[in-house]
Amino acid sequence: MAQTSTHVESDRRISTPAAISSIFPPIQQALVNGLEVLWDGHEDPSTIRHLIAEQGVGSVVITCKGAPDPINIAGCARKLQQIAKDAGHERPLTIGLKEADGMYDGLPFELSGARFPSPLSLAAANSTTVTRLVGRAIGQKLGSVGVNWVFIPTVDLLGESIEPLDASKTFGQDAESVCGHALALIQGLADEDVSACTNAHPAATMLEILRTQRFTELASSMDEQTNLPEFRPLRAVLTRYPLNSMQFGAAIHEFSEPEQSAHAIRATCELVLRNTCGFQGPTVSSFTETTDSAAVCAMHTPLLSFLSGLDMVRLPEGAAAQQESVSVLKRAMGSGIIPFNLIQASAARVAAFKARFLSWERALNDIPAQSASLPAPGSLAHAIYRDAVTALSPGNSPLQGLARTSILVVLTPTVPRRNPDSPSDPFEPLGRALSDHFPRLRHVPYTLSAGLTDVHQAFLQRAAAVVFVLCNTSSAMIESQDEFVGAVHRSLRVRDAMAGQQRTRKVVIGAGNPRDLRDPFAGWWGVLCYEYSKGALEAVAEVVLGQREATGKIP
């Protein structure tokens, strides 16, 4: 009977929005599919209004499809904050922003058009002072539209576990460099009152540790374990700066059993973050599913995430799944499945985080004008792209001294577009920049599935020079790309061996993960630009044309 009374009292205690907001943190972050209907600025969807006003959701991630509209984003953020204020929330919502095209490169888009360089490019440019300026510039842009929370930086080392397409989200392979640039970016955001939710993927490493050690045995060895390469940059950041919040990037469904992932996450939160590194901020879940079933997803993932030691969990997409997730979490709290001391500790961390960064005055009033002390985002990005270009070979580019009338063949891979508004061929800016100096340039894309075709062969046989662009966008591409590279080598060797032929001048450009592309080809002059954005390609073109030297450093 006493147990029944406690359950009823628990349900009564969390039935008002203000109470939910203060003691019900597991659904503080909500990624609600359908927020895009707010872009017209006229009406709020009833689902998100209900989640904020009636269920106590304290964080929203706005998803954008297509080109973002700053005016509509700002209007959307203001409406969401007003809903929370009217509902009696003690603190404003944390509002994040996410692109929906699947090509998020680790930094948010620049809302006036051009994109900021990726973290990998920032690390190659080798200036934490500049990285902090980028953080400030991002903070100003996001703050100007009411966004106060951003899911950067990533503090993982660039290694074999990182998919090639995700390589640009990291700051490279050196733990000290990763730490320095991550801190600079976080501090730059904080300068503009925007909170960084640092990304890390330590759960997979912890899962491997737990295969050989019991949870209870780990405490005595955590100093040693956190010196593993996978933990080193995260520990370095945590010991130098009090992070605001931290998001775990691995998904529960990536493991064979969700419970295994939950166990590894709990060990990481308790033993690594809290006990060893002293991190007291909230931990954030990016998990939204365990299976393809929305019902199972609602029943398991948010609850598992919270029981894993995470303070803020993301609801699954879809109104029905969201409502079911909320109900499951309420029942778990009321019945004691989630211990009350866990609820109190999480609530305190979330409240302290919000108190530090958020105020109703800033959330509801006009955003102050941008500081004139920062360089224009476009000129800042241009300078970083230039500084990031890294030479792989000594000496000058072989295109220097090449006659303007020569035939230059540019081979570029077929890759995903970085955003919906980019050209159908993302390497078009490289071709345009080079064709200004070589009007007889022939830009010939290649696909790894088709290999070296007769068309490629015909162009290669006529070329005085070849610029060969390599870019791995998935692990599956690497082996196929090696085969294509070998075919190009053989074709040019045959041509160069013909009597009376001058040797072909050869340049190779790496536009992706430097781990896959840094080995110089015999007889080729190599250079890295780390990504295939317009700014990066135009900067590498200047080096290839001999207009400037490459000054970047492989991160």
Side-chain angles (χ1 to χ4, degrees):
M1 189 71 177
Q3 185 176 2
T4 303
S5 176
T6 301
H7 180 77
V8 172
E9 180 63 24
S10 297
D11 282 347
R12 185 180 299 117
R13 184 175 63 248
I14 63 174
S15 62
T16 65
I20 292 172
S21 179
S22 61
I23 74 160
F24 192 45
I27 54 173
Q28 290 282 335
Q29 180 188 4
L31 173 60
V32 181
N33 186 37
L35 271 178
E36 62 269 16
V37 298
L38 287 172
W39 289 159
D40 61 13
H42 298 303
E43 187 177 4
D44 297 320
S46 58
T47 299
I48 188 63
R49 180 184 292 276
H50 174 75
L51 286 169
I52 294 171
E54 303 298 329
Q55 304 293 356
V57 167
S59 299
V60 175
V61 178
I62 301 173
T63 60
C64 300
K65 292 183 178 179
D69 184 332
I71 295 176
N72 286 336
I73 293 173
C76 172
R78 190 72 57 83
K79 287 180 180 180
L80 293 172
Q81 295 290 16
Q82 191 62 59
I83 292 171
K85 178 70 171 176
D86 294 343
H89 282 232
E90 183 180 352
R91 294 283 176 183
L93 302 173
T94 47
I95 295 183
L97 194 63
K98 180 178 175 61
E99 292 180 79
D101 60 12
M103 293 302 299
Y104 180 67
D105 64 3
L107 295 180
F109 43 69
E110 203 275 292
L111 293 171
S112 63
R115 301 177 71 91
F116 288 106
S118 68
L120 201 57
S121 293
L122 286 172
N126 199 28
S127 171
T128 54
T129 300
V130 171
T131 300
R132 185 163 183 166
L133 284 177
V134 170
R136 288 191 59 196
I138 292 170
Q140 283 192 356
K141 289 294 179 182
L142 295 179
S144 70
V145 295
V147 174
N148 53 33
W149 201 29
V150 59
F151 302 101
I152 57 173
T154 295
V155 293
D156 299 318
L157 290 179
L158 177 59
E160 294 180 359
S161 62
I162 303 292
E163 278 291 317
L165 195 60
D166 293 331
S168 63
K169 299 178 183 179
T170 74
F171 287 109
Q173 296 184 92
D174 180 73
E176 188 62 29
S177 174
V178 171
C179 175
H181 286 282
L183 286 178
L185 196 65
I186 292 167
Q187 290 165 340
L189 289 163
D191 291 341
E192 303 299 327
D193 296 322
V194 172
S195 173
C197 186
T198 306
N199 279 288
H201 298 69
T205 300
M206 181 58 73
L207 187 63
E208 291 302 314
I209 295 173
L210 288 172
R211 295 187 193 282
T212 59
Q213 285 186 266
R214 294 180 181 275
F215 185 94
T216 53
E217 299 170 348
L218 278 176
S220 61
S221 65
M222 279 320 300
D223 274 338
E224 178 183 350
Q225 300 290 2
T226 52
N227 279 321
L228 291 171
E230 295 85 352
F231 287 126
R232 203 171 296 151
L234 175 59
R235 179 171 183 172
V237 169
L238 287 170
T239 54
R240 298 182 198 180
Y241 188 83
L243 294 184
N244 311 317
S245 57
M246 180 172 295
Q247 175 173 264
F248 283 83
I252 283 179
H253 71 280
E254 291 178 4
F255 300 93
S256 57
E257 293 293 335
E259 289 78 7
Q260 294 176 349
S261 174
H263 194 47
I265 293 165
R266 185 166 70 90
T268 305
C269 287
E270 290 185 16
L271 301 179
V272 178
L273 299 182
R274 308 291 185 206
N275 297 351
T276 305
C277 299
F279 174 62
Q280 296 305 317
T283 49
V284 182
S285 168
S286 64
F287 319 145
T288 56
E289 59 181 7
T290 55
T291 72
D292 293 334
S293 167
V296 174
C297 166
M299 290 291 290
H300 289 283
T301 306
L303 180 58
L304 270 176
S305 298
F306 190 61
L307 289 173
S308 300
L310 301 177
D311 303 308
M312 301 164 74
V313 306
R314 179 170 292 176
L315 298 180
E317 296 184 6
Q322 289 158 5
Q323 295 297 339
E324 182 63 20
S325 293
V326 172
S327 298
V328 167
L329 288 167
K330 280 186 177 181
R331 291 196 295 270
M333 288 180 173
S335 64
I337 293 175
I338 303 176
F340 190 68
N341 64 336
L342 191 66
I343 299 171
Q344 287 180 310
S346 289
R349 285 190 287 265
V350 174
F353 161 65
K354 286 196 165 192
R356 181 181 177 190
F357 269 94
L358 304 181
S359 70
W360 284 116
E361 181 180 9
R362 183 173 175 85
L364 297 176
N365 294 341
D366 291 335
I367 305 299
Q370 294 183 15
S371 169
S373 63
L374 283 176
S379 62
L380 178 61
H382 182 62
I384 295 167
Y385 282 129
R386 281 183 156 189
D387 291 342
V389 178
T390 307
L392 294 175
S393 306
N396 298 325
S397 166
L399 296 194
Q400 286 187 256
L402 184 66
R404 181 177 172 85
T405 56
S406 301
I407 295 177
L408 172 63
V409 172
V410 179
L411 299 175
T412 62
T414 301
V415 294
R417 285 191 290 170
R418 303 301 299 182
N419 61 71
D421 297 321
S422 63
S424 56
D425 183 350
F427 293 100
E428 196 175 295
L430 175 65
R432 283 200 303 268
L434 296 176
S435 65
D436 288 342
H437 298 266
F438 298 101
R440 300 183 70 189
L441 177 144
R442 301 295 182 264
H443 182 182
V444 190
Y446 64 86
T447 62
L448 298 181
S449 57
L452 193 69
T453 66
D454 291 341
V455 174
H456 296 119
Q457 294 272 23
F459 279 114
L460 290 175
Q461 294 307 308
R462 299 173 55 202
V466 175
V467 172
F468 189 5
V469 179
L470 301 180
C471 181
N472 291 326
T473 57
S474 72
S475 297
M477 286 182 65
I478 296 174
E479 183 175 348
S480 299
Q481 185 162 268
D482 289 343
E483 294 176 2
F484 187 81
V485 168
V488 172
H489 277 312
R490 290 190 292 273
S491 177
L492 291 176
R493 278 201 302 268
V494 170
R495 179 193 184 279
D496 291 346
M498 295 173 62
Q501 285 284 1
Q502 291 188 342
R503 292 184 65 84
T504 310
R505 304 189 188 196
K506 300 184 285 288
V507 173
V508 60
I509 297 174
N513 186 341
R515 285 175 52 84
D516 301 325
L517 308 174
R518 69 174 55 182
D519 293 332
F521 295 174
W524 292 71
W525 189 84
V527 66
L528 290 171
C529 66
Y530 303 99
E531 57 184 279
Y532 52 90
S533 61
K534 180 176 181 289
L537 294 173
E538 290 175 344
V540 79
E542 293 178 343
V543 173
V544 168
L545 291 169
Q547 296 173 341
R548 58 186 308 276
E549 293 183 0
T551 58
K553 173 187 175 183
I554 295 178

